[in-house]
């Protein structure tokens, strides 16, 4: 058995008031979505991403559920953004980010994309913070990866 230590999701992350409990939660909307990124997060990393999204003026979507994937909501938001970043505490191979990007491609709506998650390798045992740093999912690593990706697609 391989175990990656996880954290608890905050009870209330904000977002659309009165929204359907099965729907993804729009935590933050960019003031310039056509030129900015759509950040799609799963789980506790949503809260980690909030200050990054505020600083860089990015849209943040808390997916909340991965099965069934609320693809229509994701596709609608993706269409209004220059790129998509998925962040998950799961495997990048076969994870929710891979599924979202595959379905965007199949629907004829591809976007420049960055998938942030756990690489296909063994993770050394450690505390949650050590594990997040080791996998590039700690606050600073996420901020650096997202800023670099935003610069890259802004230059194109």
């Amino acid at each position: 058995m391989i175990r990656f230590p996880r954290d608890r999701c905050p009870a209330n992350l904000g977002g659309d008031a009165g929204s359907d409990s099965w729907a993804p939660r729009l935590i933050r909307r960019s003031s310039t979505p056509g030129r900015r990124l759509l950040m799609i997060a799963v789980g506790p990393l949503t809260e980690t991403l909030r200050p990054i999204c505020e600083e860089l003026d990015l849209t943040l979507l808390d997916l909340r559920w991965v099965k069934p994937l609320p693809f229509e909501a994701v596709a609608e938001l993706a269409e209004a953004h220059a790129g998509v970043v998925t962040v998950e505490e799961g495997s990048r191979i076969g994870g929710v980010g891979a599924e979202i990007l595959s379905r965007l491609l199949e629907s004829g709506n591809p976007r420049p994309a960055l998938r942030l998650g756990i690489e296909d390798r063994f993770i050394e045992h450690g505390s949650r913070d050590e594990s997040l740093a080791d996998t590039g999912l700690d606050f600073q690593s996420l901020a650096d990866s997202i800023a670099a990706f935003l610069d890259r697609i802004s230059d194109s």
Side-chain angles (χ1 to χ4, degrees):
M1 179 169 124
I2 299 171
R3 183 174 183 333
F4 182 77
R6 299 204 178 207
D7 202 4
R8 301 181 84 185
C9 290
N12 181 5
L13 292 174
D16 296 337
S19 65
D20 182 344
S21 64
W22 292 100
R25 224 183 285 184
L26 186 60
I27 304 296
R28 182 185 193 287
R29 185 180 295 273
S30 170
S31 62
T32 55
R35 298 190 334 243
R36 289 298 191 200
L37 300 176
L38 168 60
M39 304 292 303
I40 302 171
V42 179
L45 289 177
T46 303
E47 192 61 26
T48 304
L49 292 169
R50 186 189 298 256
I52 298 169
C53 291
E54 289 171 359
E55 181 179 332
L56 298 175
D57 188 27
L58 309 177
T59 297
L60 177 58
L61 181 69
D62 174 13
L63 201 53
R64 299 183 68 211
W65 313 104
V66 296
K67 291 287 185 183
L69 180 67
F71 181 70
E72 294 75 23
V74 170
E76 183 179 323
L77 280 169
E79 191 170 322
H81 290 80
V84 175
V85 177
T86 62
V87 182
E88 59 189 304
E89 285 185 64
S91 176
R92 288 179 39 206
I93 297 174
V96 71
E99 179 66 18
I100 288 171
L101 300 180
S102 172
R103 290 182 65 181
L104 285 173
L105 182 62
E106 289 172 0
S107 71
N109 189 16
R111 292 284 183 264
L114 175 65
R115 286 182 302 139
L116 299 171
I118 300 172
E119 294 178 29
D120 192 23
R121 66 179 176 88
F122 287 106
I123 309 300
E124 291 294 323
H125 182 73
S127 70
R128 175 173 166 70
D129 289 339
E130 290 168 335
S131 297
L132 289 174
D134 185 34
T135 56
L137 295 174
D138 60 302
F139 176 84
Q140 193 58 56
S141 297
L142 289 170
D144 293 346
S145 295
I146 293 163
F149 181 68
L150 183 59
D151 287 344
R152 194 165 61 244
I153 68 166
S154 295
D155 291 340
S156 356

